[in-house]
Amino acid sequence: MHNLLTRKLETFAPLPEADRRLLDQTVQRARLIGERQDLIREGDDPSHVYLILEGFACRYKLLPDGRRQIMAYLIPGDFCDLHVFILRAMDHNIATLSPCRVVDIPRARILEMTERPALARALWWCSLVDEATLREWLVNIGARSAEQRVAHLLCELLLRLEAVGLTSNGSYDLPLTQVEIADTMGLSHIHVNRVLQRLRAEELITLKNGALVILDVPRLKAFSGFNPNYLHLAEHKGSKEPRR
Amino acid sequence: MHNLLTRKLETFAPLPEADRRLLDQTVQRARLIGERQDLIREGDDPSHVYLILEGFACRYKLLPDGRRQIMAYLIPGDFCDLHVFILRAMDHNIATLSPCRVVDIPRARILEMTERPALARALWWCSLVDEATLREWLVNIGARSAEQRVAHLLCELLLRLEAVGLTSNGSYDLPLTQVEIADTMGLSHIHVNRVLQRLRAEELITLKNGALVILDVPRLKAFSGFNPNYLHLAEHKGSKEPRR
DNA sequence: CGTAAAATTGATCTGTCTCAACGTGGGTGG
DNA sequence: CCACCCACGTTGAGACAGATCAATTTTACG
């Protein structure tokens, strides 16, 4: 099996051998970062693009009154700031949640990647999937009940972590505090606590010390109204030809 | 002044004359579509990319229980479905809100555009700004009060419409019903009605028959906690060099 | 005019928040 | 190695923003 990045990008479409080699080179030197460290701050114009190899990170914004809204979780294989390559200034912050292993990719290397058609498309695909995920989060917060929101998040993370081999039948590490889940869902942490208790009482999940077990995946999906289409996994399974 | 699309893309960076000519050609033949028509449905893989020249449209998803969540407004200069160029299947619907003038751009033309470096970057910029807007909407729905949410939306539309020349000092056409605003904000339409009344009572806005007047722009921005950085306007004003 | 969609109003209900304790477990320094 | 501490989780009570239900009024338009 190839490295994590290759594995993720090939979810979209197979890559030429030369591209794989470039990715292998790219993912060489990683550095370790402790939990709850800001990786990038609003206003920054970072000189490198960061790629998560291990651990959880998040995008977030702070409001004047001190509230925090988490807008995305970044898991192994995710780029933190591909967009500043174009946009110049970060409009939000990125912080680690758990200890992370991170690769710093120089801009020149990204440029090199975007000059290879298959890789360029794969990177574009990454940022479009991020966007689609954001849309689903908006639906989640805007239109679902507290219980459904949390359940939906757990279903999404199951599929995303499965895609990078970080689950074992329905269970995975979820290194989040209830406060962090609350800041993600637009709920108070007290309410998140009660929601989790209800999900446990319904025998849908088990969650203790960051270890999540989904006891009945189909039921949790049905309960939360989960439809995986927005993750755009399994794109090349249908053996479609690239379109003109 | 050039056409609308050129104007919008040059918000990001000036374009070579040849690119402008290509854009002028692209925007030739538009078609008219009535209000409240679906342009694209979930599951579609459209053969053209649609560009709005006039009118309002929106992205939305429907939930099993019949709720609708609107996830974006599309205004003149916005692409509807640039992403299906890569992702293949739509994961949401797009419908007109008001009558619209729309250009159908064949995929081949998009491909041609992405082969010109300045245009490719400009298109990428468009989709990154869409993503940044989505993040701000998430913050809006997740962390702000009903009054602030609506006020924030009105501030955002002011800047976006200003960028395409569709405002006149603090006022613009807002062809939305209160139900549509409600489906956008994750509120009931009855509550939206009351929120609008309060904004009017505070002498922040006037809104009647789709004509919005913001009576005190700075106060409305302050009230809603509006920070325009996420729209990434005025990128090349600072005369930055393109980075390597 | 007549009709349907949109806006408005009032009354009531409920999900979620806030405030205020209290419990608990893992890490650390004495 | 124990005791303390602090972050995290849990519980209860009360308050409130916003939902729901049910009319009624206004507006747009054929």
Side-chain angles (χ1 to χ4, degrees), chain A residues 36 177-178 193-194 197 200:
Chain A
R36 268 160 252 212
T177 66
Q178 294 182 358
N193 181 281
R194 287 169 177 146
Q197 284 178 48
R200 281 190 275 244

Side-chain angles (χ1 to χ4, degrees), chain B residues 86-149:
Chain B
I86 291 287
L87 290 183
R88 308 285 170 71
M90 287 293 291
D91 55 33
H92 61 278
N93 308 284
I94 298 179
T96 59
L97 293 165
S98 66
C100 286
R101 212 153 58 83
V102 173
V103 182
D104 301 342
I105 309 175
R107 278 166 186 269
R109 173 57 61 92
I110 297 289
L111 202 60
E112 192 179 346
M113 287 166 73
T114 58
E115 277 157 5
R116 297 164 181 249
L119 268 184
R121 282 178 161 249
L123 293 184
W124 193 0
W125 173 79
C126 285
S127 88
L128 292 175
V129 170
D130 286 354
E131 195 182 325
T133 304
L134 223 29
R135 279 192 292 266
E136 187 62 33
W137 280 40
L138 201 73
V139 174
N140 208 26
I141 291 190
R144 285 195 261 257
S145 72
E147 274 85 358
Q148 287 179 307
R149 277 184 223 185

Side-chain angles (χ1 to χ4, degrees), chain B residues 36 178 193-194 197 200:
Chain B
R36 266 160 256 212
Q178 293 181 358
N193 181 281
R194 287 169 178 148
Q197 284 178 49
R200 281 189 274 243

Side-chain angles (χ1 to χ4, degrees), chain B residues 4 7 75-76 158-168 172:
Chain B
L4 182 72
R7 177 171 178 170
I75 65 166
L158 178 68
L159 290 213
R160 287 173 59 191
L161 290 168
E162 227 163 51
V164 286
L166 291 173
T167 67
S168 70
Y172 54 87

Side-chain angles (χ1 to χ4, degrees), chain A residues 178-192:
Chain A
Q178 294 182 358
V179 170
E180 285 156 352
I181 297 175
D183 287 350
T184 306
M185 296 313 207
L187 298 169
S188 70
H189 67 106
I190 288 136
H191 200 60
V192 166

Side-chain angles (χ1 to χ4, degrees), chain A residues 23-197:
Chain A
L23 293 179
D24 283 342
Q25 278 171 43
T26 302
V27 174
Q28 295 280 315
R29 261 191 310 285
R31 83 192 141 99
L32 292 170
I33 300 177
E35 59 184 353
R36 268 160 252 212
Q37 302 291 314
D38 273 337
L39 272 173
I40 313 177
R41 293 237 173 75
E42 196 166 330
D44 285 0
D45 179 9
S47 59
H48 290 72
V49 169
Y50 304 118
L51 172 73
I52 310 281
L53 284 189
E54 256 179 65
F56 268 54
C58 69
R59 300 182 192 285
Y60 71 95
K61 284 191 188 185
L62 291 174
L63 287 125
D65 66 355
R67 271 172 200 271
R68 174 177 62 163
Q69 178 69 44
I70 292 176
M71 303 165 302
Y73 288 128
L74 303 171
I75 64 166
D78 288 343
F79 292 102
C80 292
D81 55 340
L82 250 191
H83 48 294
V84 273
F85 192 66
I86 293 286
L87 291 182
R88 307 285 171 72
M90 286 293 293
D91 55 32
H92 62 278
N93 308 285
I94 298 180
T96 59
L97 293 165
S98 66
C100 286
R101 212 153 58 84
V102 174
V103 181
D104 301 342
I105 308 175
R107 277 167 186 270
R109 172 58 60 93
I110 297 289
L111 202 59
E112 191 179 345
M113 288 167 72
T114 59
E115 276 158 5
R116 297 165 182 248
L119 268 183
R121 281 177 163 251
L123 293 184
W124 194 358
W125 173 79
C126 285
S127 89
L128 292 176
V129 170
D130 286 354
E131 195 181 326
T133 303
L134 224 28
R135 278 193 293 267
E136 187 62 35
W137 279 40
L138 200 74
V139 174
N140 209 25
I141 291 190
R144 284 196 262 258
S145 72
E147 274 85 359
Q148 287 179 308
R149 278 185 222 184
V150 174
H152 192 280
L153 175 68
L154 299 179
C155 289
E156 175 184 309
L157 287 174
L158 177 69
L159 289 212
R160 288 173 59 192
L161 290 169
E162 228 163 48
V164 286
L166 291 173
T167 65
S168 71
N169 61 267
S171 62
Y172 55 85
D173 284 338
L174 186 72
L176 303 176
T177 66
Q178 294 182 358
V179 170
E180 285 156 352
I181 297 175
D183 287 350
T184 306
M185 296 313 207
L187 298 169
S188 70
H189 67 106
I190 288 136
H191 200 60
V192 166
N193 181 281
R194 287 169 177 146
V195 163
L196 288 174
Q197 284 178 48

